[in-house]
DNA sequence: CGCAGGATTGATTTCGATCAACTGGAGTGG
DNA sequence: CCACTCCAGTTGATCGAAATCAATCCTGCG
């Protein structure tokens, strides 16, 4: 249980132009006018840099900003009242961190870098103001939030009634899609998280993750070397994903 | 698998005043000024009435409105590509239906009445416009959406690593809280959904639900008669809720 | 009264957690 | 440079929780 050592060390020496944040690669600004994007960029803060195990924010810190991942990756973890350590999300480049904090006064979990990671900050106060004047942004923003609700709900509800095999297939398929959407190869990628973190995220033990991966490897579905994954048969993986669960039934 | 027979029959004969919707009992308007609430009420449509198994909207229908439950209750069900029937939520009086549709062009699931149910409609178009002019409403609204993300995420992620016992304890505890928050007794309530629907919602089979309930009954935790539930020992129920799960581990 | 669908109870099986031992690579220091 | 340690990952054996299969038992309802 490696607790994050430091918090949010801004690389303030490199006073990067806001546009370096490449907000345009985020889903939020799609469909906005150039002027609107410019306005949005204006509120974005310079890049911040995190090293492995450093936290972008800690659970319970007052909510002030959303963050866009520029490079690297993070996990979000929540510690429950019963001292359970739950990995609730992973964030890849181009994705938005902190959406689930908007309603709260404070962040509901800690965002911890899985490797060297850069992010840019979007002060929520200003984003909120901007929403008032830019209807398209507001709509985009609502859509983003809402899809988050929807995805999580369906995803987890499906996971709930899936075997370990299928859960992992879903995980890799989803990861593949996320890489594809951002313009990376959907077939080959490196995931910075450990087996334990994947297991935690999916509600499985390390041992089970390891065993299932071994089986996949031996079936020629994936080629795995440490944390480098190579999807050999995406088609079959996708079919596995759809294998119907076993639990629960009618309505 | 009882498929909803009809769709959305408005009781247009009873042309109720908007205020009858009692929007004030929803969480949304809390903290708004009287004027703001009035404006919000102005966009609310008259009551609609649904009989058991009638749908408020069907999965795939174009998204137009949110709905506030006035009396009765509903389930939301999603049919996946693999023809699985998933109960994704239950809605009680005072709660908001359709939040997870906001981002989409269409409703991601069908809302079906579990019993005779009345709702009032909030056309989203107008709510959205209103958000532009009422910052407090906008904030409220964001908060609502975001909490939905957060709750779902945590709830399901916990469920994922809980035994059947604990899942059901969570379910009843949550229900109890929801009734309490709306001013009803947190100890005695009738739930219109079947065992099968509860099981589906929690990712358990009917048999397991039945067995666990039997155990609870015999342990003097709940008193159960059909669909009437009487929580005898809320304290113990709450403690059960916190019993740490078994799956997954470190990070 | 009889029937249908929901609910309960029992027997068996299977999946994945748990416990435990071991491997291998990266980092450390003598 | 090699021994040692440490931790992530793998592999094996066992056990328990819940699904599955299979009868009933209610209970409201036409």
């Amino acid at each position: 249980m490696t607790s994050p050592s430091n918090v949010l060390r801004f690389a303030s020496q490199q006073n990067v132009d806001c546009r370096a944040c490449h907000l345009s690669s985020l889903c939020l600004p799609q469909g906005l006018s150039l002027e609107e994007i410019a306005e949005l960029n204006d509120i974005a803060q310079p890049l911040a840099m995190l090293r492995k195990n450093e936290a972008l924010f800690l659970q319970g810190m007052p909510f002030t900003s959303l963050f866009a991942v520029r490079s690297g990756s993070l996990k979000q973890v929540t510690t429950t009242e019963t001292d359970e350590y739950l990995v609730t999300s992973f964030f890849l480049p181009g994705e938005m961190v902190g959406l689930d904090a908007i309603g709260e006064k404070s962040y509901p979990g800690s965002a911890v870098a899985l490797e060297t990671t850069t992010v840019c900050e979007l002060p929520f106060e200003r984003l909120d103001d901007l929403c008032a004047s830019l209807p398209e942004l507001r709509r985009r923003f609502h859509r983003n939030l809402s899809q988050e609700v929807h995805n999580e709900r369906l995803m987890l509800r499906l996971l709930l009634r899936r075997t370990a095999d299928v859960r992992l297939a879903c995980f890799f398929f989803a990861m593949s899609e996320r890489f594809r959407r951002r313009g990376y190869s959907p077939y080959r990628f490196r995931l910075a998280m450990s087996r334990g973190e994947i297991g935690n995220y999916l509600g499985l033990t390390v041992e089970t993750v390891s065993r299932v991966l071994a089986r996949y490897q031996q079936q020629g579905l994936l080629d795995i070397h440490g944390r480098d994954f190579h999807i050999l048969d995406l088609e079959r993986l996708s079919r596995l994903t759809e294998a119907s669960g076993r639990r629960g039934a009618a309505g």
Side-chain angles (χ1 to χ4, degrees), chain A:
Chain A
M1 194 161 298
T2 53
S3 69
S5 36
N6 328 24
V7 175
L8 190 57
R9 60 161 65 193
F10 269 93
S12 47
Q13 64 278 17
Q14 45 177 26
N15 228 328
V16 197
D17 177 59
C18 293
R19 254 130 298 236
C21 288
H22 280 236
L23 277 180
S24 52
S25 71
L26 295 172
C27 33
L28 201 59
Q30 283 162 17
L32 293 179
S33 74
L34 285 178
E35 281 168 280
E36 287 170 326
I37 290 177
E39 280 206 67
L40 190 53
N41 263 332
D42 281 348
I43 71 169
Q45 300 297 300
L47 284 179
M49 207 255 266
L50 300 165
R51 284 215 249 288
K52 183 173 176 174
N53 286 330
E54 285 179 338
L56 182 56
F57 49 78
L58 291 176
Q59 183 170 1
M61 274 173 57
F63 168 64
T64 55
S65 300
L66 298 175
F67 297 87
V69 182
R70 184 78 188 85
S71 70
S73 56
L74 303 100
K75 63 178 171 181
Q76 183 164 95
V77 296
T78 299
T79 306
T80 66
E81 320 77 52
T82 55
D83 275 328
E84 277 170 289
Y85 187 83
L86 288 186
V87 177
T88 56
S89 338
F90 295 114
F91 300 101
L92 303 181
E95 298 177 340
M96 191 76 92
V97 187
L99 289 177
D100 55 353
I102 290 176
E104 332 287 318
K105 55 238 155 277
S106 58
Y107 294 99
S110 307
V112 180
L114 291 167
E115 57 194 314
T116 301
T117 296
T118 52
V119 298
C120 85
E121 184 176 3
L122 290 163
F124 183 68
E125 190 70 15
R126 307 188 57 187
L127 186 60
D128 191 46
D129 291 344
L130 218 51
C131 278
S133 52
L134 301 181
E136 189 49 46
L137 175 64
R138 185 168 68 249
R139 226 155 281 141
R140 268 282 142 201
F141 191 58
H142 282 168
R143 173 169 306 216
N144 238 297
L145 269 179
S146 172
Q147 278 178 345
E148 196 90 2
V149 181
H150 179 52
N151 284 342
E152 281 287 318
R153 186 173 284 182
L154 212 58
M155 161 87 167
L156 286 176
R157 211 151 271 295
L158 279 174
L159 278 189
L160 207 57
R161 62 196 72 223
R162 291 287 186 262
T163 61
D165 290 34
V166 181
R167 286 186 201 185
L168 273 157
C170 287
F171 176 74
F172 283 107
F173 192 74
M175 279 300 169
S176 171
E177 275 306 302
R178 283 160 78 172
F179 279 108
R180 180 201 300 277
R181 194 163 310 157
R182 306 298 174 190
Y184 302 102
S185 165
Y187 300 107
R188 284 173 174 283
F189 43 83
R190 155 165 269 267
L191 298 177
M193 67 286 291
S194 71
R195 303 286 193 269
E197 284 160 339
I198 295 175
N200 187 307
Y201 177 71
L202 295 172
L204 300 169
T205 58
V206 208
E207 295 95 321
T208 303
V209 172
S210 188
R211 271 186 257 271
V212 173
L213 290 188
R215 203 176 321 136
Y216 282 171
Q217 172 112 277
Q218 140 198 7
Q219 290 172 353
L221 197 60
L222 277 88
D223 190 34
I224 305 169
H225 291 98
R227 296 180 180 186
D228 288 313
F229 297 87
H230 183 190
I231 300 181
L232 297 172
D233 193 341
L234 189 59
E235 171 57 31
R236 192 143 59 91
L237 188 69
S238 155
R239 254 181 287 124
L240 241 175
T241 280
E242 291 161 8
S244 85
R246 352 187 290 312
R247 295 148 203 269

